[in-house]
Amino acid sequence: MSARRSVILRETRSKWSITALVAVVIIVPMSLLASLLYARHLHSDEYRRGVEVLLSKRLGLSVTLGRVRPLTLHSKSLTDVRVAMVDPDLDIFKCSEAIWRGSTRNGRRGYVLDLEEGWLLLGMAGWTRAEYLRMLAGGFGHDFSALGIEEVRLKNFGLRFEHPLVEVLIGDASGTIIFDESGTGQASMTCTSLNDYVVDRPVVISARFTPGERLVFHDVSLRVPRIPLSAMAMNAWLGQTPSRGEFEGTIQYGQDAAGAKVGIAGLLHDVDLTEVTSGVSGGPYHGTVDLDVEAAEVLGRRLVALTGRGRIGGLHIGELFPRLARPGDASRFDLDVDQVRWKQGRWAYLSARGRCAQLSLEALSSILQSGTITGDLSIDIRSLLIADDKLESMDVVLESVAPKDGLGTIDRTLLAYAAEAWLGVDLSMALPKQVNYRRLGAHLVVEGDQLRVMGTHGPEGKTILTISLFGRDWGVIKQPEQAFVVPDLVALLRRQAGDVESGDVRGWWDNLRRAPE
């Protein structure tokens, strides 16, 4: 019995050995063959075309791939990626390699997309709104959270955006776009080239957006090192390429209920005012600008808010106030702004100082239409303070500069008018047709609605006008003792001198002497 049992056991083992051998000889090679056939399928043109069709359908754009290469069970490499709009036929994305890989973050299974060596077109000036929205929908009009994409990494990428008012060409950009659980994206990138200008320090780019059918860019920010204004590509906005000037700071693009807006904060240095005011009403204006902008807001082409400080030098008075312009006019105005807060056409706060030289007294006196004064006037604005759109205080010194012979002239009608206004006496019959003057100056101090007019020379510095008559100098107009009530000077200054009627000026002047002390 035991011998027979041993024989049966040996036969059984032999059968299992034969079965195992068959499995090894047949099943394993078949599995290897199946794996090889599947790998071949993954590397085939048929599989690549299938991926192209799938991506094209999902993006709503034309997608072509050079090669699809599996890396692991959960990652693939796509090379020579091209994405284009169908109508019009235009490439909007190219990438040498895109790697799609599985990832686990905070217990959630998702995907990371690595993009290397490529470029992305975000918009062109000639696009219609429908074309622009179709491009955005293809790139950002998906629920990235539903797709499982948690992060997009870019390396050595170029980004291009064209708009009727501005053009941005970003070169050699690298960074990440991270999507949170709600699908909101936060982009953080740096680049070394802006509009083909190579920067010495990286430009820092950040953006926050919600993708999907109703794509919303909450904010886009560029922190820019010092670069020439010519590199800002604002030709369409300014009408020309600036030849000088630099900018350093932050530019923010955003959107609210009022529409798209641009926020600016930073330093503007040595800007040629002529080049940036060609599109401004009455411009262009000559001068140079240096500004430290704490915050500025632009809607379309219109500045709607500004907070900061700075200096404007070399302004031409004849350009600001056409009624004062004369052939060969050399008058210039320099303004130092210690602090300004301006919004929607109202001065919330302005503290400033300024100087003006070589302002034609002949042109200035012509506004009164009561005679002419020869010579030039210098204006020293020692302080100017405006709050809540009203003039709070002002300290200004006016000094005449007589012609080269040392004497200026005043028409009798104008001097008689001033004497009657200030002194209450009629000198029209006692004066020659023209009177020579030696000095003319006034120190004006405004506090609230009160104006005090003081002299600048003579005994105790109380003389306003000294004339030369009968070989002697006579101090004929002294500073008045009373103060005068002044109108809303901010409203008056809003109007160019070319729009001010002589009756307005004379009427205000006549009312001064009748104002209560």
Side-chain angles (χ1 to χ4, degrees), residues 69-91:
R69 180 168 59 93
L71 300 177
T72 67
L73 290 176
H74 301 290
S75 64
K76 293 180 178 62
S77 170
L78 312 177
T79 59
D80 296 330
V81 183
R82 173 184 175 269
V83 180
M85 296 176 65
V86 177
D87 183 20
D89 183 15
L90 178 69
D91 289 348

Side-chain angles (χ1 to χ4, degrees), residues 65-191:
L65 306 171
R67 183 185 180 192
V68 178
R69 180 168 59 93
L71 300 177
T72 67
L73 290 176
H74 301 290
S75 64
K76 293 180 178 62
S77 170
L78 312 177
T79 59
D80 296 330
V81 183
R82 173 184 175 269
V83 180
M85 296 176 65
V86 177
D87 183 20
D89 183 15
L90 178 69
D91 289 348
I92 62 173
F93 175 86
K94 283 189 177 182
C95 179
S96 62
E97 184 176 26
I99 298 177
W100 178 283
R101 66 175 83 247
S103 173
T104 301
R105 180 178 298 167
N106 298 326
R108 292 192 306 127
R109 184 70 181 174
Y111 297 95
V112 174
L113 183 60
D114 291 321
L115 305 175
E116 186 170 351
E117 298 287 350
W119 55 265
L120 172 64
L121 179 64
L122 294 174
M124 294 185 67
W127 279 4
T128 64
R129 176 175 173 82
E131 291 169 339
Y132 179 71
L133 292 177
R134 186 161 65 250
M135 182 280 302
L136 287 178
F140 298 98
H142 303 280
D143 186 344
F144 284 79
S145 179
L147 294 175
I149 298 178
E150 294 186 341
E151 183 177 353
V152 178
R153 303 170 181 166
L154 296 94
K155 183 178 179 181
N156 299 330
F157 244 71
L159 306 172
R160 184 183 188 118
F161 174 74
E162 292 184 10
H163 185 273
L165 296 181
V166 68
E167 177 181 342
V168 179
L169 179 61
I170 297 171
D172 195 24
S174 298
T176 61
I177 305 174
I178 297 176
F179 297 93
D180 61 22
E181 294 183 5
S182 68
T184 299
Q186 179 68 53
S188 300
M189 290 180 282
T190 61
C191 73

Side-chain angles (χ1 to χ4, degrees), residues 280-437:
V280 176
S281 177
Y285 299 103
H286 288 79
T288 58
V289 178
D290 287 272
L291 291 179
D292 180 358
V293 180
E294 294 180 21
E297 185 177 326
V298 178
L299 289 177
R301 296 176 183 235
R302 188 167 59 93
L303 179 68
V304 296
L306 173 65
T307 299
R309 61 191 59 83
R311 185 177 193 276
I312 304 176
L315 284 167
H316 290 205
I317 295 297
E319 293 174 347
L320 294 174
F321 305 104
R323 286 283 296 273
L324 302 181
R326 289 294 183 270
D329 179 28
S331 58
R332 299 292 183 266
F333 181 57
D334 299 324
L335 181 67
D336 291 295
V337 178
D338 300 316
Q339 184 67 36
V340 60
R341 292 197 301 271
W342 178 86
K343 187 172 184 179
Q344 298 288 3
R346 292 182 60 85
W347 300 97
Y349 185 86
L350 173 64
S351 174
R353 295 162 288 118
R355 293 154 301 281
C356 177
Q358 295 182 289
L359 177 61
S360 170
L361 276 169
E362 183 176 358
L364 190 61
S365 59
S366 67
I367 297 177
L368 292 170
Q369 295 185 350
S370 294
T372 302
I373 309 174
T374 61
D376 292 330
L377 180 69
S378 68
I379 303 175
D380 181 11
I381 303 175
R382 296 178 175 179
S383 67
L384 173 68
L385 179 62
I386 297 174
D388 295 329
D389 218 35
K390 289 187 177 297
L391 180 64
E392 293 290 332
S393 65
M394 181 174 65
D395 188 337
V396 180
V397 176
L398 310 175
E399 286 278 2
S400 69
V401 179
K404 293 181 180 179
D405 59 6
L407 293 175
T409 62
I410 304 177
D411 285 353
R412 176 178 59 196
T413 53
L414 181 57
L415 183 55
Y417 169 72
E420 198 274 334
W422 293 107
L423 304 176
V425 297
D426 183 6
L427 298 179
S428 58
M429 301 303 294
L431 296 172
K433 185 176 181 180
Q434 280 190 332
V435 177
N436 294 326
Y437 74 90

